[in-house]
Amino acid sequence: MASRTVIPRFLLPLQSPLWRGFSLPPTQNLALRFSTSSNSRAAAGGGGAGGSGKPIVLEKPLKFNPPSHGSRLKKNTLPKHYGPSLTADEVAAQRQKSYPGMMAPEGTWAHFFWHSRMLHVCITMGTLLSIGIFTFFMNYAVNSPFKDLVPPISDLWRHPLEFAAAWKYVIVEHEKDKALKAYEHRIAHQNDIAKRRYYMKMHGIETKNPITTVFGRGEEPSVEELEAEALGREPPVKKEEDKPKERKKLFGIF
């Protein structure tokens, strides 16, 4: 059974073919008739417009799937220039000619400079080496306590031997002073540790050490030894009787 639907005029497009041949008053609506599935089957079965007078329902067209990309031209078939092909002499002349804004042609010094890897390696390593040497000498000239003895750079050309000897003296004295300060710092640290151990021994303070807790304590120094170490004296000489007897080990291990 056909269904009847009324569509208001303001919902229809203005350029619809319905409004080209005739016009309707603004208060009038347009009634459309839709065919049912039975009508469509009857029309598809061979019934024409003249048989039953019902509209023919056309079949839904297939979906159009355009290709993902158009046809491409082969690269080898495209001409690289307009006109006849170049001769061998013209190609050689183009390679030797220098064009503005482009790389230098082959066989020139500019082409060798920009394309030589060995030349670039030599320039890079020479620059790094010169920076390293400059930093090495400037470290002594700025941070060394003997920087007042550094000779001026002008003596390098007038008195090169004296210049080298002065720099050698500055470097040697700087390293000696550095080693002496390191030794004094290490001795002060050892004395501080000895005084701390002596203080803890006299006051009965024991530190918790996980290694000594598991494996036990070894031979602990006596009070006299700790006192001598803290005060910087010579440790007392142990008598042979005080020395512990060596325990025999099984197979030299246990």
Side-chain angles (χ1 to χ4, degrees):
M1 180 178 180
S3 61
R4 184 178 182 84
T5 305
V6 178
I7 302 177
R9 181 178 178 181
F10 65 88
L11 294 179
L12 296 175
L14 296 178
Q15 300 298 331
S16 176
L18 297 175
W19 313 113
R20 294 177 184 176
F22 59 92
S23 61
L24 296 176
T27 57
Q28 188 175 359
N29 296 329
L30 181 64
L32 299 179
R33 183 182 297 273
F34 298 93
S35 61
T36 59
S37 59
S38 60
N39 296 336
S40 61
R41 286 194 298 268
S52 60
K54 297 180 180 180
I56 301 175
V57 179
L58 301 179
E59 185 180 0
K60 182 179 179 181
L62 298 176
K63 185 178 180 181
F64 175 67
N65 296 322
S68 59
H69 54 81
S71 60
R72 298 177 180 176
L73 298 177
K74 297 182 180 180
K75 296 182 179 180
N76 297 332
T77 59
L78 296 177
K80 297 182 179 180
H81 60 87
Y82 297 97
S85 59
L86 300 177
T87 61
D89 297 337
E90 292 176 348
V91 173
Q94 286 185 353
R95 291 181 178 178
Q96 297 296 330
K97 187 176 181 180
S98 179
Y99 296 94
M102 300 184 66
M103 294 296 294
E106 298 180 3
T108 59
W109 163 250
H111 184 273
F112 169 76
F113 179 81
W114 292 114
H115 292 80
S116 178
R117 294 185 178 180
M118 185 58 64
L119 180 62
H120 291 174
V121 170
C122 294
I123 293 174
T124 304
M125 297 305 297
T127 304
L128 294 177
L129 181 62
S130 60
I131 292 175
I133 295 174
F134 176 78
T135 306
F136 174 78
F137 286 102
M138 286 301 297
N139 183 30
Y140 292 101
V142 175
N143 301 325
S144 176
F146 305 94
K147 58 184 177 181
D148 297 335
L149 303 178
V150 174
I153 192 63
S154 58
D155 292 349
L156 177 62
W157 311 109
R158 293 184 298 180
H159 308 286
L161 297 179
E162 297 178 359
F163 181 83
W167 264 107
K168 179 182 178 182
Y169 177 78
V170 170
I171 293 174
V172 170
E173 293 298 326
H174 176 80
E175 295 299 330
K176 287 182 179 179
D177 181 73
K178 185 178 178 180
L180 181 61
K181 289 181 179 179
Y183 174 76
E184 292 177 354
H185 178 74
R186 183 170 63 253
I187 293 299
H189 183 65
Q190 291 179 357
N191 293 338
D192 185 40
I193 294 176
K195 292 178 182 179
R196 191 182 302 114
R197 292 176 59 187
Y198 178 66
Y199 177 83
M200 295 173 65
K201 184 72 175 179
M202 295 302 297
H203 290 77
I205 303 174
E206 295 184 0
T207 57
K208 295 182 179 180
N209 192 348
I211 298 177
T212 57
T213 303
V214 176
F215 298 99
R217 293 180 178 271
E219 183 181 357
E220 296 184 358
S222 61
V223 179
E224 292 79 7
E225 293 178 355
L226 291 176
E227 183 179 359
E229 185 179 1
L231 299 178
R233 302 174 183 174
E234 294 183 0
V237 180
K238 292 184 178 181
K239 299 180 181 180
E240 295 182 358
E241 299 178 357
D242 299 339
K243 293 182 180 180
K245 297 181 180 180
E246 295 183 358
R247 184 173 59 87
K248 294 182 179 180
K249 298 181 180 180
L250 182 62
F251 301 109
I253 301 175
F254 304 101

